[in-house]
């Protein structure tokens, strides 16, 4: 049996140690240990994760702009862009509604709020107001109006992805109409700028293990493990619902594209560990865009579907919102009728869209739902303050997987998916350096 030479052994060790997946995993373990052993010190490390997420957000808007403009200009077909957008929105609505229904069904079957017997008079809704910072979810008209930026510079400065996406589509469409003869340098500049930004992503990602260490040390140090006991039933059914939904996503991906979700998760395992560690799917958006392109999805599908999904396709949040609404009602001893549960579904179909980037958006959506049903006390939303942070892993993983599957499916519908390239990438080809 052949053995590695000392040089080969050293080289293999270096490759293993330089793996982002291993570095992030070790950082996560260390962060949990620090949070358990020195909770006050762990709680003070929040700034490490926050700084990393800020650095990632700094480059998301220009990256989305460059990817979308380049994809549209190179495709040269504006009708395909419209089809991609329309198909993505239809897919998002259908799948996120299924997520809401799954939460309602399991909430009725498992009944996670039974036995708490909470007196509504003892609930303090001021804690929810503090959590949301006085923000409010926009109505349908307000949301649609918000998509149109008052200033292009402001859209980039405020990291408003839908506004940046709209400007990118218009910019790409203008380039297609002008043609390369009338704007020979613009497309080349945008394309090269995108490559530069991806290189910056590579620099920032070297700090990912530090961010995961700080985020998990803060989580465990600040909240401890007591919430797992108090909210055990709700947490269990939420994660169980997410697992069932992921099975549904796996079936959709297999039937509609012929690809394996498990193979994709192995391919992107470092990104998922990072997203879990930082409790933010935005922290891995740039790398996911790059990996989806490397896995055979055409750039315009990646650029349009993935960022849009961050506002329109929050599957994990949808599962949690429907379950949490039933939990609140059951905890205070209220039985919701079928009609009231349908009201919950309709309200959440609206309020679950455009939640990204709004502080305490889950509590705002739950407050709006409770008000619409009319029988759930507004203060009942405060019951979920202790469990919300524990739900982040479920929401982040399910949201991210849902948006990645959507990208593959829509790309396949548009004949823009190279399944051979996808399988080659999933099979363990060396990661393309950013």
């Amino acid at each position: 049996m052949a053995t590695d030479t000392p040089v080969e052994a050293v080289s293999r060790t270096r490759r293993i140690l330089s793996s982002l997946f291993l570095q992030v995993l070790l950082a996560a373990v260390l962060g949990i240990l620090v949070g358990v052993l020195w909770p006050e010190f762990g709680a003070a490390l929040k700034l490490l994760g926050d700084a990393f997420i800020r650095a990632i957000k700094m480059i998301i808007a220009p990256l989305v702009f460059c990817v979308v403009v380049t994809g549209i200009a190179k495709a040269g077909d504006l009708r395909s862009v419209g089809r991609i957008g329309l198909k993505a929105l239809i897919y998002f609505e259908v799948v996120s509604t299924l997520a809401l229904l799954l939460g309602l069904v399991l909430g009725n079957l498992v009944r996670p709020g039974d036995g708490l017997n909470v007196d509504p008079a003892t609930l303090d809704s001021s804690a929810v107001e503090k959590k949301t910072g006085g923000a409010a979810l926009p109505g349908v008209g307000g949301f649609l109006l918000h998509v149109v930026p008052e200033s292009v510079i402001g859209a980039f400065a405020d990291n408003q992805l839908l506004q940046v996406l709209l400007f990118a589509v218009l910019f790409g469409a203008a380039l297609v109409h002008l043609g390369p003869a009338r704007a020979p340098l613009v497309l080349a500049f945008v394309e090269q700028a995108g490559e530069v930004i991806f290189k910056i992503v590579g620099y920032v990602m070297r700090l990912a293990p530090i961010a995961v260490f700080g985020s998990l040390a803060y989580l465990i140090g600040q909240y401890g493990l007591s919430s797992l006991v108090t909210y055990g039933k709700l947490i269990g059914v939420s994660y169980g619902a997410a697992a069932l939904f992921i099975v549904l996503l796996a079936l959709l991906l297999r039937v509609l594209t012929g690809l394996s979700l498990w193979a994709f998760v192995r391919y992107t395992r470092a990104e998922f560990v990072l997203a879990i560690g930082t409790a933010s799917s935005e922290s891995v958006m740039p790398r996911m865009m790059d990996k989806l392109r490397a896995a055979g999805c055409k750039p315009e599908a990646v650029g349009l579907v993935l960022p849009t999904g961050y506002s329109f396709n929050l599957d994990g949040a949808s599962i949690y919102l429907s379950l949490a609404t039933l939990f609140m009602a059951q905890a205070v001893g209220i039985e919701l009728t079928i009609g009231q549960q349908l009201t919950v579904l309709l309200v959440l179909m609206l309020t679950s869209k455009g939640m990204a980037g709004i502080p305490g958006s889950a509590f705002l959506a739950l407050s709006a739902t409770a008000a619409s049903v009319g029988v759930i006390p507004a203060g009942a939303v405060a019951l979920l303050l202790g469990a919300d942070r524990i739900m982040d892993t479920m929401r982040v993983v399910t949201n991210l997987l849902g948006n990645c599957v959507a990208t593959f499916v829509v790309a396949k519908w548009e004949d823009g998916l190279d399944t051979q390239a996808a399988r080659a990438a999933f099979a363990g080809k060396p990661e393309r350096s950013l």
Side-chain angles (χ1 to χ4, degrees):
M1 181 178 177
T3 57
D4 290 340
T5 66
V7 174
E8 290 173 335
V10 170
S11 177
R12 176 175 293 181
T13 302
R14 285 178 177 172
R15 284 199 306 271
I16 293 173
L17 293 177
S18 64
S19 164
L20 178 64
F21 173 71
L22 180 62
Q23 291 175 359
V24 169
L25 202 59
L26 290 175
V29 173
L30 288 174
I32 292 171
L33 287 175
V34 168
V36 171
L37 299 176
W38 303 285
E40 291 185 4
F41 176 64
L45 296 177
K46 184 175 184 289
L47 62 91
L48 297 177
D50 289 347
F52 175 78
I53 292 174
R54 281 194 177 198
I56 288 292
K57 287 184 175 181
M58 169 184 71
I59 52 183
I60 285 178
L63 179 61
V64 168
F65 175 79
C66 292
V67 170
V68 172
V69 170
T70 303
I72 292 174
K74 286 191 169 182
D77 183 2
L78 297 180
R79 285 180 297 179
S80 71
V81 174
R83 288 198 307 269
I84 289 173
L86 180 60
K87 289 177 180 178
L89 291 176
I90 293 172
Y91 177 91
F92 292 157
E93 190 58 47
V94 171
V95 174
S96 60
T97 301
L98 287 176
L100 289 169
L101 284 170
L102 178 62
L104 285 177
V105 170
L106 290 181
N108 281 290
L109 292 176
V110 180
R111 302 186 63 83
D114 277 358
L116 292 182
N117 301 318
V118 176
D119 181 0
T122 64
L123 298 173
D124 181 14
S125 59
S126 63
V128 177
E129 295 177 7
K130 182 179 178 182
K131 179 79 174 179
T132 59
L137 289 176
V140 176
F143 175 73
L144 293 176
L145 183 61
H146 184 68
V147 173
V148 182
E150 293 184 8
S151 162
V152 171
I153 303 300
F156 280 89
D158 296 335
N159 212 35
Q160 297 290 337
L161 285 188
L162 290 180
Q163 295 181 359
V164 171
L165 196 59
L166 175 62
F167 179 66
V169 170
L170 295 174
F171 197 97
L175 278 180
V176 170
H177 279 129
L178 288 173
R182 297 179 63 185
L185 301 179
V186 176
L187 178 58
F189 172 76
V190 173
E191 189 172 11
Q192 291 168 19
E195 293 299 321
V196 171
I197 294 169
F198 270 119
K199 181 58 69 175
I200 296 173
V201 172
Y203 298 152
V204 175
M205 291 303 294
R206 293 177 184 177
L207 303 175
I210 298 174
V212 170
F213 168 75
S215 295
L216 286 177
Y218 162 74
L219 170 63
I220 302 301
Q222 179 74 17
Y223 295 94
L225 301 175
S226 59
S227 294
L228 293 175
V229 177
T230 307
Y231 297 95
K233 199 171 182 181
L234 175 62
I235 293 169
V237 70
S238 296
Y239 278 81
L244 288 174
F245 188 78
I246 289 170
V247 171
L248 174 63
L249 290 177
L251 291 173
L252 279 174
L253 187 65
R254 173 67 75 180
V255 170
L256 298 178
T257 70
L259 299 176
S260 164
L261 184 65
W262 174 241
F264 172 72
V265 171
R266 288 202 310 269
Y267 169 60
T268 53
R269 59 188 180 275
E271 287 71 32
F272 276 98
V273 172
L274 175 57
I276 291 169
T278 57
S280 170
S281 55
E282 284 188 335
S283 66
V284 297
M285 183 194 287
R287 276 184 65 98
M288 276 301 191
M289 292 179 73
D290 192 58
K291 284 202 163 184
L292 287 167
R293 292 195 306 166
C297 294
K298 62 182 182 180
E300 58 267 35
V302 174
L304 288 169
V305 179
L306 191 65
T308 307
Y310 273 65
S311 290
F312 286 94
N313 192 41
L314 303 174
D315 297 326
S318 296
I319 291 171
Y320 170 66
L321 289 173
S322 54
L323 271 171
T325 302
L326 291 184
F327 172 83
M328 291 189 300
Q330 292 160 5
V332 297
I334 293 173
E335 285 293 331
L336 297 182
T337 65
I338 296 297
Q340 289 168 332
Q341 292 192 35
L342 288 176
T343 300
V344 168
L345 178 66
L346 292 173
V347 172
L348 289 177
M349 284 174 64
L350 296 175
T351 56
S352 62
K353 305 296 185 291
M355 286 172 49
I358 300 175
S361 56
F363 294 100
L364 292 171
L366 289 170
S367 298
T369 305
S372 299
V373 174
V375 295
I376 302 176
V381 179
L383 289 171
L384 295 158
L385 287 169
D388 187 69
R389 188 63 177 82
I390 307 298
M391 300 296 183
D392 278 342
T393 297
M394 180 275 285
R395 288 190 297 239
V396 165
V397 170
T398 311
N399 289 346
L400 189 56
L401 267 178
N403 288 324
C404 291
V405 169
T407 304
F408 279 115
V409 169
V410 174
K412 179 67 174 179
W413 285 346
E414 281 295 302
D415 294 324
L417 175 63
D418 185 341
T419 53
Q420 290 185 343
R423 291 191 178 97
F426 296 173
K429 298 289 184 182
E431 287 190 12
R432 182 157 69 91
S433 60
L434 294 174

